[in-house]
Amino acid sequence: MSLDAIKNFDWQQELFAGLLADRVLLVLVLALVSLGAVMVASSSISLAALPDPGYSDPWFFARRHLVFLVLGFAACGFVACTPLALWRNYGWVMLLAALVVLVLVLIPGIGTEVKGSKRWIRVGPINLQASELAKFCAIIFFASYLSKWHKEIKANSWAILKPLGILLVLAAFILMEPDLGSTVVLMTTVLAMMFIAGIKLWQCFLLMGMAAGAFVALILPVDYRMARLRAFLDPWQDQYGSGYQLVQSLIGFGRGEWFGLGLGNSIQKLHFLPEAHTDFIFSVIAEEFGFLGAVVVIGLFAALIVKAFMLAKEAIRQDNDFACFAAYGVAVLLACQVFINVGVATGLLPTKGLTLPFVSYGGSSLIISMMMMGLLIRVQKELQITPRPLSEAANP
C-alpha cells in the first residue's frame, strides 16, 4: 500500500463499515466483554474492599477494567481500520516490536517482577504484559511470512527451518520471564499456522514430538512446576498447600450445581479462591450461574472461534492468503487460551496462569484480545469488498 493511499484513506468510514460488516461477530464480542465487566466486578469486590493490599475501594478493579475496555475498543477500532495490505507488507516490523518488548521486560529496572516472574513493563498507570503483545505481533508476522513463502514451504522441506528458528527465539525469550503457559499458546498457534501453510505431516508430528519433549524437560527439573503437576494429579493430597487453588476452584463448581447461587452470591470469591478475578474467574462464573451458565459462556467462545475459522475458510476460497493465516491464527490462539483457562479451573489441566480472553481482569489481555477482534473485523470487511488476491491489492 502506497503512502498516498494511506494519506487518502477514510479511517472513519472504514471503521463503521468494518463494524457493520458482520453483526454476528460484533454481538459475540459485545456479549463476552459485557460478561467480563460484570464478572470482574462481582469476583473482585471483596478483595478490592480490603485495606491491607492498599485498595480500600470495592470497585477498584471494576473501574480499571472499564478503562482497559475503553482502550481495548480504541485498539480494536485502529486495527479494524488498518488495511490488511499494510499489516502484510510490514509484518517484519511486528516481529521487531515483539523482540524489543520481550528483551525490555528482562532488563532490570524496566521489567516489573511479580511473584518471581518478570512479565510486565510499566507504561504509566498500565502494566504491559510483554508476552500478550508478542502473541499478536507473532500472528501478524507469521501470517505475512507464510502468505509470501507458503509455496516454497510446500515444495522444500528445509524451508521450514527459518520460521521455526524465529519461533524458537520468541519462545526462548518468553520462557526467560518465565511464562510457560504463553509459550505453549504461542507455539501451538504458530505450528498450526505452519501446518495450514503446507508443511508435511511427518514434519508436523516431528515438531509436536520435539515440543512435547521440550516441555517435559522444562517441567521435571523445576520444583514448583512439579508441585503443580502433583497437585493436578491429586489436589486433595495437599489441599491446604500446592492443591489449595484447584480444590477451592472445584468447590466453586460444586456449589454452583445446575443453576448457580445467583450473581454476586459466590462464596469462594470471599478470600477462599486466590486469583478469583483473573485466572480462576470461570470458577466464579460456574458458582454464580451454575453448569448451564458455564455452558453458555463456553458456547459464546465456541461460536466466536468457529466464526474465525469460517473467515479463514472464506479467505482460502477468495485466494487471500494473508487473511486466511491471520484469521486462522486468531482462532487457534483463542481456542488454546480458552481451553487452557477452563481446563485449569476444572482440573483438566495442571494449574497455569492464563487469563480467560475478554472476561478475566487484566489490561494487556483485554486490549490484545480486542485487537485480535479488530483484525477479524478487517478480514471480514476486505473479504466482502475485495474478492481478489491480496498480492494485487497491496500495490494499488
Side-chain angles (χ1 to χ4, degrees), residues 71 73 117 147 153 155 158 165 232 235 239 268 273 347 366 375 396:
L71 294 176
F73 273 113
S117 297
S147 67
I153 289 175
W158 296 104
F232 158 69
Q239 59 179 304
Q268 293 305 104
L273 177 62
L366 181 58
L375 188 60

Side-chain angles (χ1 to χ4, degrees), residues 103-324:
V103 170
L104 286 177
V105 78
L106 299 174
I107 298 176
I110 298 179
T112 302
E113 185 171 342
V114 178
K115 297 181 180 179
S117 297
K118 280 189 175 181
R119 302 180 185 176
W120 296 269
I121 299 174
R122 189 77 176 176
V123 183
I126 299 176
N127 279 326
L128 173 65
Q129 188 169 352
S131 59
E132 290 292 335
L133 181 59
K135 292 175 190 175
F136 179 79
C137 293
I139 288 177
I140 297 294
F141 169 74
F142 283 103
S144 173
Y145 183 91
L146 294 174
S147 67
K148 297 173 184 176
W149 300 99
H150 65 94
K151 291 182 180 179
E152 183 180 348
I153 289 175
K154 287 182 180 179
N156 183 2
S157 299
W158 296 104
I160 193 178
L161 293 179
K162 186 176 180 179
L164 184 61
I166 296 172
L167 173 60
L168 292 176
V169 170
L170 293 173
F173 277 117
I174 297 176
L175 283 173
M176 290 180 192
E177 297 178 7
D179 189 351
L180 184 59
S182 292
T183 306
V184 172
V185 171
L186 176 64
M187 294 196 68
T188 302
T189 300
V190 176
L191 289 178
M193 293 170 68
M194 292 169 67
F195 178 74
I196 292 298
I199 67 172
K200 296 176 176 58
L201 194 60
W202 69 267
Q203 291 176 307
C204 184
F205 283 121
L206 177 62
L207 292 175
M208 290 172 60
M210 292 172 62
F215 287 124
V216 170
L218 288 169
I219 291 172
L220 292 179
V222 182
D223 291 338
Y224 76 89
R225 288 174 181 163
M226 283 301 298
R228 287 179 176 180
L229 181 60
R230 287 191 292 268
F232 158 69
L233 295 174
D234 187 5
W236 301 97
Q237 186 177 11
D238 189 13
Q239 59 179 304
Y240 299 110
S242 59
Y244 179 80
Q245 200 168 21
L246 178 55
V247 166
Q248 297 304 316
S249 178
L250 295 176
I251 290 174
F253 279 91
R255 290 183 188 277
E257 297 184 350
W258 285 99
F259 302 104
L261 302 176
L263 178 62
N265 293 327
S266 167
I267 297 174
Q268 293 305 104
K269 70 183 182 184
L270 302 177
H271 317 304
F272 292 104
L273 177 62
E275 309 297 339
H277 61 302
T278 55
D279 302 340
F280 281 83
I281 198 169
F282 189 71
S283 179
V284 179
I285 293 173
E287 186 179 6
E288 294 190 349
F289 295 103
F291 174 79
L292 294 182
V295 168
V296 169
V297 173
I298 293 175
L300 289 173
F301 278 113
L304 181 60
I305 293 165
V306 168
K307 179 62 184 175
F309 279 126
M310 290 174 63
L311 287 175
K313 182 179 180 181
E314 178 63 18
I316 293 176
R317 192 185 69 81
Q318 296 190 20
D319 196 25
N320 194 327
D321 296 329
F322 178 80
C324 168

Side-chain angles (χ1 to χ4, degrees), residues 57 67 81 93 190 259 287 299 339 366 387:
D57 177 7
V67 172
C81 287
V93 176
V190 176
F259 302 104
E287 186 179 6
F339 176 74
L366 181 58

Side-chain angles (χ1 to χ4, degrees), residues 366-396:
L366 181 58
I367 292 172
I368 296 302
S369 295
M370 294 300 292
M371 289 174 67
M372 289 192 290
M373 293 304 100
L375 188 60
L376 291 183
I377 290 171
R378 187 67 207 177
V379 168
Q380 173 70 31
K381 173 73 165 47
E382 295 204 9
L383 290 180
Q384 288 187 345
I385 292 180
T386 313
R388 57 195 175 100
L390 189 60
S391 58
E392 298 176 14
N395 300 297

